[in-house]
Amino acid sequence: MPPQPPFHPALAQFEPMLPLPSNVTPRVLSIIPPMTQLNTPYPSTAYLTGFLRSQGVDAVQEDLALKLVLRLFTAEGLQAVLERVKAVPPKKQTATLRSFAEQFERYQGTIAPVIRFLQGRDPTLGHRICNRSFLPEGPRFDAIDHYTIGEEGEDPIGWAFGSLGMHDRAKHLATLYLNDLADVLRDAVDERFQFVRYAESLAASQGSFDPLAEALAQPHNLIDERLCQLTIEAIERHKPTLVLLSAPFPGNVYAAFRIAQAIKKHNPRIVTALGGGFVNTELRELSEPRVFDHFDYVTLDAGERPLLALLDHLQGRRSQQRLVRTFVRDAGAGTVRFINWAEPDVPFNEVGTPTWDGLPLSDYLSLLDMLNPMNRLWSDGRWNKLTVAHGCYWKKCSFCDVSLDYISRYEAASAEVLVDRIEAIVKETGQTGFHFVDEAAPPKALKALAHELIKRKVQISWWGNIRFEKSFTPELCQLLSDSGCIAISGGLEVASDRLLALMKKGVSVEQVARVTRAFTEAGVLVHAYLMYGFPTQTVQDTVDALEYVRQLFESGCIQSGFFHRFACTVHSPVGLNPDEYGVTLQALPPVSFAKNDIAFIDPTGTDHDAMGQALKKAIYNFMHGVGLEADVRSWFDVKVPRPTVARGKIAKALA
């Protein structure tokens, strides 16, 4: 453990709550903090609420990420935003702010209809949106001029929607409208605001709690005010004794702390606990006492067992020493202590069925950011998120956090149990779309699931993440399609056989081509996760990888993709054994809060930052069918070597 900061006596008043009075029945409120996504609920609270109810616990849930956006984007909310815009000095007024102020009456008059349209409540409004005179148009609409793929003078987005795709066209225009408003919030209210993440730099790999503490000590801005109002309303509505805040990403940590801060100010007797993917990954060495000014408990990994232990403790049935995977702050000393009484986790087969009861499913917003049929799935449509298996059956990839529980502990549920859960969820939500959110869904389990769905005549649409391994034969791909599979995503990473072997991906580029083509021929869309900047990756490797990717698009193997910059984490094989990958890790400063990314020195000396912009520009165009015949060197602003990959390599592999 790193050195711990000195204890301040003023912190003693915030020590963990004493057990509840014997006549008080625990009521648990699980909250999704801003920001995650606007089209569908993040599944953590649904899983926890469903499990707790199966154990007889009175459990409810709230999505404050969605409610915050719906509170800000009203006629009254925009009026409050306008007051902040007017307070920005003239020299700092951006084009976005000027456009908003000049067209404010139109924004105020259209915001409610647009929200209703994106919620699916008023589809005929799409005709007015499409005529381009109904919505005020800010700087985000300038991008439309760059979409043109046909002849000059043609409708710039007609290629994407044709003559009858009115609803999707309107949805795209309405999304641009909302993005303009998000830019206004960022320029006038809080520069850290985004729709899918919020102030993530305060938390991501932030070894010191100081930046987050300083932000939390600042006076409330408009977004903070609305979030705190929503928090108190939720507390008054549900009267919880325990509030669980799930922080899956760095981009909702700040809001989670703001919510906890508001709860403690409103009623310090309410117990607060923090968990989620960010905590499980980055707070494993937590020693910062100030975290516990806001949270009484911080739990690691799968939440079911720690929560059962915590509830027992709060009801006086278990001592603090028998908590499971839980950080607490010691009374008196003020130091942080990790308690982990050895108890087995709840088996994945027994975690129960997630429930969306209490979440306003009809209020979510279907957005259409990018004009690509595969890419839209992440922001468009209301998907029931479900897990086929806990952990990863492969758990070898060298860039992945394979040492952590969410990857390393692999447990699958039977196909019968999964379809039972699917049927229960469809009955509850009325929605038949499912997103399987596994790290990598196992082919054997998917095959069994497909047979069970077909056997029971359960009609759903589903998509999820896999490894592009040879088990996905054309026959299996067709079976999955017959069972309702509409799309698949998977990691191609660096499209280089040398680097794929170094990563321990267990696949080759040609194998990926055959698997993805089999899915495409079965009518399933394919998205490839791509990576650049992996240890020992050279400029030649990068150019060759882009050529492989170009050919995969050209051959109809993949329809969508995204390049991520490789980040070395302390929990991955690269971070744990850097010598095996030819790199030297840079020493981290003392860490008391978040610990994840770690810088490294690569002897190749490649300037990956110079490569990244070209890669992202190329794949954006490939996704829209542009530039597939061009030499991949044309995407780079710097001179790069000729690809060593033959231009027909993928076509030959497929033949």
Side-chain angles (χ1 to χ4, degrees):
M1 283 283 194
Q4 297 173 342
F7 173 61
H8 192 282
L11 302 180
Q13 61 179 308
F14 297 104
E15 293 313 315
M17 299 294 104
L18 295 172
L20 300 170
S22 58
N23 63 339
V24 175
T25 301
R27 182 172 176 81
V28 181
L29 169 61
S30 297
I31 293 178
I32 304 171
M35 298 296 297
T36 50
Q37 58 190 118
L38 297 179
N39 64 309
T40 200
Y42 191 79
S44 56
T45 64
Y47 261 103
L48 289 176
T49 303
F51 171 74
L52 290 172
R53 289 184 182 180
S54 74
Q55 303 298 304
V57 177
D58 185 5
V60 291
Q61 57 188 326
E62 289 270 1
D63 186 346
L64 294 193
L66 173 68
K67 289 194 172 183
L68 175 64
V69 169
L70 296 181
R71 181 66 58 89
L72 289 166
F73 291 160
T74 61
E76 296 78 12
L78 293 188
Q79 183 66 53
V81 173
L82 179 64
E83 298 307 314
R84 273 63 176 184
V85 170
K86 290 178 178 177
V88 175
K91 290 184 178 180
K92 293 186 178 181
Q93 288 277 343
T94 63
T96 297
L97 297 185
R98 290 192 296 272
S99 173
F100 175 75
E102 291 166 2
Q103 303 184 84
F104 175 72
E105 289 189 5
R106 294 184 65 200
Y107 276 110
Q108 194 174 39
T110 53
I111 186 63
V114 168
I115 293 295
R116 287 198 305 272
F117 172 76
L118 291 173
Q119 290 171 332
R121 300 177 190 273
D122 190 7
T124 57
L125 185 69
H127 293 280
R128 292 195 67 191
I129 293 174
C130 285
N131 69 22
R132 299 290 297 276
S133 63
F134 177 68
L135 296 182
E137 297 189 358
R140 288 280 187 157
F141 285 77
D142 295 344
I144 290 179
D145 296 333
H146 302 293
Y147 288 156
T148 304
I149 289 180
E151 298 296 324
E152 185 176 350
E154 288 185 358
D155 176 2
I157 53 177
W159 59 272
F161 303 111
S163 59
L164 291 176
M166 177 277 294
H167 189 80
D168 280 349
R169 181 194 295 256
K171 190 180 292 185
H172 179 60
L173 295 171
T175 301
L176 295 176
Y177 166 95
L178 280 194
N179 286 338
D180 271 327
L181 290 176
D183 292 343
V184 172
L185 281 172
R186 189 160 51 252
D187 289 353
V189 179
D190 190 339
E191 64 182 3
R192 304 164 302 189
F193 180 81
Q194 294 185 62
F195 275 142
V196 294
R197 55 178 67 91
Y198 186 18
E200 65 179 359
S201 63
L202 296 176
S205 298
Q206 190 64 258
S208 170
F209 188 67
D210 287 348
L212 187 53
E214 291 168 7
L216 293 169
Q218 294 299 312
H220 287 182
N221 61 37
L222 177 64
I223 297 172
D224 295 328
E225 290 172 4
R226 298 297 184 264
L227 181 58
C228 290
Q229 289 170 4
L230 290 166
T231 299
I232 303 310
E233 289 170 14
I235 295 301
E236 290 299 310
R237 184 162 52 250
H238 297 295
K239 308 291 187 196
T241 53
L242 170 62
V243 175
L244 309 177
L245 282 139
S246 173
F249 312 113
N252 60 359
V253 172
Y254 168 75
F257 273 82
R258 272 296 191 201
I259 291 169
Q261 186 184 57
I263 293 171
K264 286 301 182 187
K265 182 178 180 181
H266 178 72
N267 183 356
R269 295 297 303 173
I270 296 174
V271 181
T272 53
L274 178 67
F278 168 80
V279 179
N280 301 339
T281 304
E282 303 209 24
L283 299 190
R284 305 194 73 85
E285 297 181 21
L286 178 65
S287 62
E288 173 55 72
R290 290 175 292 174
V291 168
F292 298 87
D293 292 354
H294 310 280
F295 293 99
D296 299 299
Y297 303 94
V298 177
T299 67
L300 292 184
D301 300 329
E304 291 84 5
R305 182 61 68 193
L307 281 178
L308 291 180
L310 178 56
L311 287 167
D312 277 351
H313 171 58
L314 293 176
Q315 295 175 87
R317 298 199 294 257
R318 175 187 291 245
S319 70
Q320 188 185 76
Q321 302 307 314
R322 294 179 60 219
L323 292 175
V324 177
R325 295 195 301 272
T326 301
F327 288 100
V328 299
R329 182 169 62 191
D330 273 342
T335 54
V336 177
R337 188 157 57 98
F338 183 63
I339 304 170
N340 188 14
W341 184 263
E343 286 189 28
D345 272 297
V346 177
F348 182 68
N349 239 12
E350 300 174 15
V351 297
T353 302
T355 178
W356 282 264
D357 179 47
L359 297 178
L361 298 184
S362 60
D363 288 354
Y364 286 86
L365 308 175
S366 282
L367 306 178
L368 185 50
D369 287 290
M370 187 176 289
L371 306 183
N372 177 277
M374 172 73 206
N375 209 271
R376 71 183 294 175
L377 296 180
W378 277 275
S379 64
D380 186 22
R382 231 284 301 152
W383 303 97
N384 299 310
K385 293 183 182 286
L386 193 64
T387 309
V388 173
H390 180 282
C392 179
Y393 70 100
W394 179 251
K395 54 188 173 188
K396 295 179 183 178
C397 298
S398 56
F399 54 83
C400 190
D401 292 338
V402 296
S403 62
L404 299 185
D405 176 79
Y406 82 97
I407 297 291
S408 64
R409 181 168 61 86
Y410 174 70
E411 291 183 52
S414 68
E416 292 78 12
V417 167
L418 286 172
V419 178
D420 286 345
R421 291 175 181 173
I422 287 170
E423 289 186 314
I425 291 168
V426 171
K427 183 177 180 180
E428 177 189 289
T429 66
Q431 302 283 338
T432 60
F434 283 80
H435 179 196
F436 297 141
V437 291
D438 299 69
E439 299 303 316
K444 184 177 179 181
L446 289 179
K447 182 177 182 180
L449 174 62
H451 279 302
E452 188 68 15
L453 288 168
I454 293 169
K455 173 185 171 184
R456 296 201 206 176
K457 297 181 172 59
V458 177
Q459 301 294 340
I460 65 170
S461 302
W462 63 268
W463 58 293
N465 198 53
I466 64 166
R467 291 179 60 250
F468 293 130
E469 61 165 81
K470 60 184 179 183
S471 300
F472 289 104
T473 61
E475 294 75 20
L476 179 54
C477 293
Q478 187 60 55
L479 173 68
L480 299 183
S481 178
D482 293 342
S483 76
C485 179
I486 59 169
I488 283 295
S489 59
L492 173 55
E493 319 311 347
V494 177
S496 156
D497 286 336
R498 177 184 75 82
L499 291 172
L500 286 171
L502 186 61
M503 290 177 177
K504 298 183 174 65
K505 281 292 293 184
V507 300
S508 68
V509 177
E510 292 188 6
Q511 178 182 309
V512 168
R514 287 189 286 270
V515 169
T516 52
R517 181 61 176 270
F519 272 113
T520 297
E521 290 181 343
V524 177
L525 296 169
V526 182
H527 174 89
Y529 292 108
L530 301 158
M531 183 185 296
Y532 66 100
F534 193 76
T536 72
Q537 183 174 352
T538 64
V539 172
Q540 185 69 66
D541 288 327
T542 300
V543 173
D544 287 350
L546 186 58
E547 173 59 22
Y548 272 126
V549 170
R550 184 196 68 78
Q551 292 186 32
L552 289 169
F553 273 99
E554 183 182 45
S555 298
C557 296
I558 61 177
Q559 291 75 47
S560 174
F562 188 80
F563 271 104
H564 301 258
R565 172 68 186 269
F566 168 76
C568 178
T569 70
V570 294
H571 310 293
S572 68
V574 176
L576 295 170
N577 305 292
D579 292 345
E580 294 182 16
Y581 301 90
V583 297
T584 304
L585 302 183
Q586 296 185 358
L588 285 171
V591 172
S592 60
F593 186 54
K595 182 180 180 182
N596 192 40
D597 293 359
I598 182 168
F600 62 93
I601 299 170
D602 189 331
T604 60
T606 305
D607 184 359
H608 297 295
D609 289 333
M611 303 285 102
Q613 190 60 37
L615 296 175
K616 292 175 182 178
K617 182 167 62 175
I619 202 160
Y620 180 87
N621 280 275
F622 293 167
M623 282 194 289
H624 294 91
V626 177
L628 291 174
E629 300 297 329
D631 188 319
V632 294
R633 290 175 293 176
S634 65
W635 298 108
F636 295 90
D637 294 330
V638 295
K639 187 176 181 179
V640 294
R642 180 190 302 273
T644 62
V645 179
R647 283 184 70 87
K649 183 74 175 288
I650 294 299
K652 184 177 180 181
L654 294 172

